[in-house]
Amino acid sequence: MSDVPASGARTTVDTARMGHPLLSLALAAMMDDVQAHSGAVYLLAHDAPVLEMAVMAGLPRSFAAPWERVSLSAPAPVSEAVRERRLVWVNGEEQMARRYPRIAVVLPYPFAMAALPVATRDTTYGAVFLTWPGSHPPELSERERDKLTSACDRLAIRLRRAEEEGRPVLPEPDLSAPSTTTVAGTLGTVEAARMVARLPYGMCALDLHGRITFANAATAELLGIPVSALLGMQLWASVPWLNDPAHEDRYRAALMSQHVTSFMALKPPGEWLSFRLYPGTNGLSVRISRARSVASPKSAARQEDDDGPGRLVTIDHVLAMASALTEAVGVQDVVELVANEIMPAVGSQALVMLGSRAGRLHVLGQHGYTDPHLVERFDGMPLSAQTPGARALTAGVPAFFESRQQLEHLYPVRQSTPDGMGAWAYLPLIAQGQPVGTCVLGYADPHPFPAEERAVLTSLSGLIAQALQRALLYDAKHQLAHGLQAALLPHSLPSIPGIDAASRYLPATRGMDIGGDFFDLVLSHGRASAVIGDVQGHNVTAAGLMGQIRTAVRAYTTVGQAPEDVMSSTNRLLIDLGSDLFASCLYLRLDPAHGTAVMARAGHPPPLLRRPDGRVKVLDLAGGPLLGIDASATYPTTEVALSEGSVLALYTDGLIESPGVDIEDALADLGERLATTGNRPLEALADGLVRETGTAEERSDDVALLLLRAVAMG
């Protein structure tokens, strides 16, 4: 950034405490002016493009622990505010999930945030963020914007003055929330304690860090722990059966959102207790009571849903799903992962994955619908259509419909296309600012979507979008590779009197599924020739060079060159092309009328010959070096008898090479299979010889096979 000063001209950040609380006073004043719930000041580090938290107020620093140091390039509001030198406003959990999914995954609560740079015209010193409960209006008022902008400008001027005077501005102790008038302050400490002691349920107070600062006798009785053992301890740390991340999450949710939250917990051996958390600016009040009408964990879960539903998907779930999605290769992998991992976690019963191409939606996959016609209506739908799937993607905003009535009220066209579901979530899939598609989750029954669940689903949509974008790119490359390979290899083999032929090609399963293996069968001027070869590598370069070699061999054959001359000419051509790649090759001139074949070999694996009596021989042919090494190389020929019923097997090394297997053993195994199955029809024989290789999940090399059987002349 051009406005970020050099390290020597920037405010120094150290770990020592400063004497004059410049940052704390400025932050407290800002929060008071705009009634913010919490906030923090960051200073730009002197030795790296990193923002370091110097002071925080209103919440425990642990809430912002992942962002105590934030890179200027990070996808975070404070970084964006500094990079773009402007106020960044995030108006709730859905927008947070869409714009900053990493933050939403850790803090999936309803709150609003503003981030501003602390900078003069020439120098950036840091940034500030402030948060409000989710009840804050969707936009900052002009008054709030002016107050915050002016306060940051004043802070920047003070930081510049401190720099000019040689006074380092250092991190300061975090601020506690402002104190409020308590019951004790109004009625007197003794009377307040007596009043709370008479309550028929437990009452305790937690500070911002979750530590118990007060507990009445009923609390101790219900929890089964003396008050003296509770004071000063965190509730979930002092009570073993409350030591559950889900319970701590309720405390975090209450503080962040400033909304009343609740949860149920089982006190061993079988008593259910209800906890209701009432947040304030300086902590929480907790009411504890026995849960009436709770007979089982299932009914407890329903009670919890009534009081305040917890997240269906935890952070651990999200991280696990993110890890799984990174392993997805193709589009169908993504569809299956969403169906197998995400649908069960969020309670969905149906899925439609839609892709966006050329201004239209296309069905990429579905799960949960027994009748495919129910989802076919999406295929080819223009993005301009007034449907929830198209609207969610074009607007970039997820849509949640809790019931059929709600959906059909907004989209009357849906009344004519029922899919049997009772609720829907339409999640736009947007990756790197580009619309990728829409993920539609269907629920069998009406389903409420609490704010936290909406935030998690929106976060997941970002992960799905990135995985789907990668998968679409992979599938496009995969199709391109197969199209190129198909164009370079013969579409069919010509009919040659006295010779039956069959071929197979299998690409490597690693890389781009394209390689340099090739084969061909040529009939020209009454002469039949066969060739098989392997250009090193399995990428586009190898495939392109393979196409040139195959074309050259065909051309030299057509003009009538002898086998040794075809090989020599192809060798010189490969050297003239200036390629760094080499190629192995085996060339045959076939003479079915006389039952012979003349072969020339350039570093290629030896062919196998199965005689009519079933014996198999490895043909140890004379030959020369690989093509592309020595321009003066010669390639002597060998004549082989090819009597009626004989089978000649030409192959590339991918058919016999595999990790940990000796090449001689592999060749012997291939010969044995050819001997025992060589009487089969040629197509069935070809399938059998490549079947074991064809099922390999990690095939590291291409496989080409060309089988030639001598038959009676027609």
Side-chain angles (χ1 to χ4, degrees), residues 375-450:
V375 299
E376 286 178 358
R377 66 183 184 274
F378 290 114
D379 211 43
M381 182 182 295
L383 291 179
S384 58
Q386 293 303 307
T387 61
R391 178 62 180 166
L393 185 57
T394 54
V397 177
F400 301 94
F401 302 96
E402 300 182 0
S403 65
R404 177 182 294 276
Q405 292 76 15
Q406 189 180 77
L407 176 63
E408 293 176 351
H409 174 72
L410 294 174
Y411 296 93
V413 68
R414 280 287 307 224
Q415 295 180 15
S416 61
T417 56
D419 60 3
M421 294 293 113
W424 299 263
Y426 288 82
L427 307 176
L429 305 179
I430 300 174
Q432 298 176 343
Q434 299 297 317
V436 178
T438 302
C439 179
V440 185
L441 296 173
Y443 297 76
D445 301 309
H447 180 84
F449 293 95

Side-chain angles (χ1 to χ4, degrees), residues 560-616:
Q561 287 192 359
E564 61 270 26
D565 295 329
V566 171
M567 296 291 276
S568 297
S569 298
T570 306
N571 176 52
R572 287 192 295 270
L573 173 67
L574 186 54
I575 291 174
D576 290 342
L577 290 174
S579 172
D580 293 331
L581 301 180
F582 308 128
S584 69
C585 189
L586 179 64
Y587 182 85
L588 295 76
R589 179 66 48 81
L590 299 166
D591 188 355
H594 296 89
T596 61
V598 177
M599 307 183 187
R601 186 162 70 108
H604 199 79
L608 299 180
L609 177 63
R610 184 187 187 275
R611 301 188 188 279
D613 60 6
R615 290 180 299 160
V616 174

Side-chain angles (χ1 to χ4, degrees), residues 476-491:
K477 289 182 177 179
H478 188 76
Q479 293 172 7
L480 175 63
H482 277 276
L484 177 59
Q485 193 81 53
L488 294 174
L489 293 173
H491 293 190

Side-chain angles (χ1 to χ4, degrees), residues 340-642:
N340 297 332
E341 300 284 344
I342 293 179
M343 283 178 56
V346 301
S348 170
Q349 285 75 46
L351 161 73
V352 180
M353 190 73 71
L354 302 172
S356 172
R357 185 175 71 250
R360 293 182 178 274
L361 291 174
H362 298 274
V363 177
L364 301 176
Q366 65 92 9
H367 186 83
Y369 292 103
T370 56
D371 183 0
H373 296 291
L374 290 173
V375 299
E376 286 178 358
R377 66 183 184 274
F378 290 114
D379 211 43
M381 182 182 295
L383 291 179
S384 58
Q386 293 303 307
T387 61
R391 178 62 180 166
L393 185 57
T394 54
V397 177
F400 301 94
F401 302 96
E402 300 182 0
S403 65
R404 177 182 294 276
Q405 292 76 15
Q406 189 180 77
L407 176 63
E408 293 176 351
H409 174 72
L410 294 174
Y411 296 93
V413 68
R414 280 287 307 224
Q415 295 180 15
S416 61
T417 56
D419 60 3
M421 294 293 113
W424 299 263
Y426 288 82
L427 307 176
L429 305 179
I430 300 174
Q432 298 176 343
Q434 299 297 317
V436 178
T438 302
C439 179
V440 185
L441 296 173
Y443 297 76
D445 301 309
H447 180 84
F449 293 95
E452 293 176 25
E453 186 177 340
R454 295 185 183 209
V456 170
L457 287 173
T458 306
S459 298
L460 289 173
S461 71
L463 298 175
I464 297 169
Q466 294 176 25
L468 184 59
Q469 184 184 52
R470 292 192 303 270
L472 288 167
L473 180 60
Y474 172 84
D475 282 355
K477 289 182 177 179
H478 188 76
Q479 293 172 7
L480 175 63
H482 277 276
L484 177 59
Q485 193 81 53
L488 294 174
L489 293 173
H491 293 190
S492 62
L493 299 177
S495 177
I496 297 176
I499 296 291
D500 280 349
S503 63
R504 294 292 183 269
Y505 173 79
L506 299 175
T509 55
R510 297 176 183 172
M512 284 190 63
D513 288 0
I514 186 171
D517 289 18
F518 66 96
F519 59 87
D520 205 355
L521 192 59
V522 183
L523 181 61
S524 176
H525 304 295
R527 291 188 300 268
S529 300
V531 64
I532 191 165
D534 182 3
V535 179
Q536 68 177 119
H538 22 85
N539 50 40
V540 174
T541 303
L545 189 60
M546 172 268 283
Q548 292 175 300
I549 293 175
R550 176 173 168 259
T551 302
V553 170
R554 178 174 280 266
Y556 296 137
T557 298
T558 302
V559 299
Q561 287 192 359
E564 61 270 26
D565 295 329
V566 171
M567 296 291 276
S568 297
S569 298
T570 306
N571 176 52
R572 287 192 295 270
L573 173 67
L574 186 54
I575 291 174
D576 290 342
L577 290 174
S579 172
D580 293 331
L581 301 180
F582 308 128
S584 69
C585 189
L586 179 64
Y587 182 85
L588 295 76
R589 179 66 48 81
L590 299 166
D591 188 355
H594 296 89
T596 61
V598 177
M599 307 183 187
R601 186 162 70 108
H604 199 79
L608 299 180
L609 177 63
R610 184 187 187 275
R611 301 188 188 279
D613 60 6
R615 290 180 299 160
V616 174
K617 179 181 180 181
V618 178
L619 298 180
D620 186 14
L621 305 176
L626 293 169
L627 301 178
I629 294 179
D630 181 6
S632 62
T634 59
Y635 298 90
T637 60
T638 303
E639 184 174 299
V640 177
L642 194 61

